[in-house]
């Protein structure tokens, strides 16, 4: 049976959307079944319309399915993504997590593989604290945090052992670079590999570090 991967994320202006789509491609290429789901937008209409790129993104994903708690329950691997806001996850992302109480109380979030991804405007603007915020919640679930660490040469290039992150830059529009794309592929492959091993499959050989 294929590994079930849920990619659950929030994006206001499309960066996390692109990261999630890359994770989806990598997970599908690895033979997984994938549910890529953005979390429901809950900001007031006036706030969204105050930023052209935010309104454009909301319109662009209007027909895509939103995340439901069952998507997390269904998954063997849960990849959680939020932009960094003041060094933390967004309120939209947190609001989704807060709907998981009944599933948490029934133990339905436990024993899964979890990993995080984020973006921020500046490289030191809180990517690590956002990822650690995600993992703090995963600890409450009884989930298995499968951080990438330095388990592949690309991690010495993208430089984030906590998850995958991207800096959007001064204009908030810097495209994902090759290292980020490769690191997303690695995160998908690694989490699927670990989930397979939890089901009794032999370990995949890692790439040598140098
Ligand atoms: C209210 C707010 C707070 C933010 N806080 C931070 C921050 O603490 N550090 C940082 O580097 N960028 C910060 N940013 C920039 C966002 O992280 C950036 O716009 C986001 O990663 C883009 O992702 P998206 O395109 O998926 O929405 C903030 C943006 C907003 C709107």
């Amino acid at each position: 049976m294929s590994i079930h991967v849920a990619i659950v994320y929030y994006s206001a202006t499309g960066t996390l959307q692109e990261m999630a789509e890359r994770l989806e491609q990598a997970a599908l290429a690895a033979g997984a079944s994938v549910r890529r789901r953005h979390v429901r937008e809950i900001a007031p209409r006036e706030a969204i319309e105050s930023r052209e790129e935010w309104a454009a993104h909301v319109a662009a994903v209007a027909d895509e399915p939103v995340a439901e708690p069952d998507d997390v329950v269904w998954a063997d691997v849960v990849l959680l993504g939020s932009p960094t806001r003041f060094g933390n996850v967004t309120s939209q992302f947190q609001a989704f997590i807060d709907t998981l109480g009944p599933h948490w109380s029934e133990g339905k979030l436990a024993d899964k593989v979890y990993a995080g991804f984020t973006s921020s405007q500046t490289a030191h603007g809180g990517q690590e604290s956002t990822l650690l915020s995600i993992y703090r919640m995963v600890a409450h679930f009884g989930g298995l945090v499968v951080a990438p660490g330095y388990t592949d040469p690309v991690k010495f290039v993208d430089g984030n052992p906590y998850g995958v992150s991207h800096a959007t830059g001064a204009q908030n529009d810097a495209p994902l670079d090759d290292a980020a794309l490769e690191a997303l592929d690695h995160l998908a492959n690694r989490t699927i590999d670990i989930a397979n091993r939890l089901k009794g499959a032999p370990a995949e050989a890692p790439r040598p570090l140098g």
Side-chain angles (χ1 to χ4, degrees), residues 11-16 51 83-87 119-122 125 172:
S11 184
T13 56
T15 312
L16 267 283
R51 286 180 67 197
T84 293
R85 293 274 170 87
F86 305 119
S119 69
S120 64
Q121 201 156 9
T122 59
N172 197 42

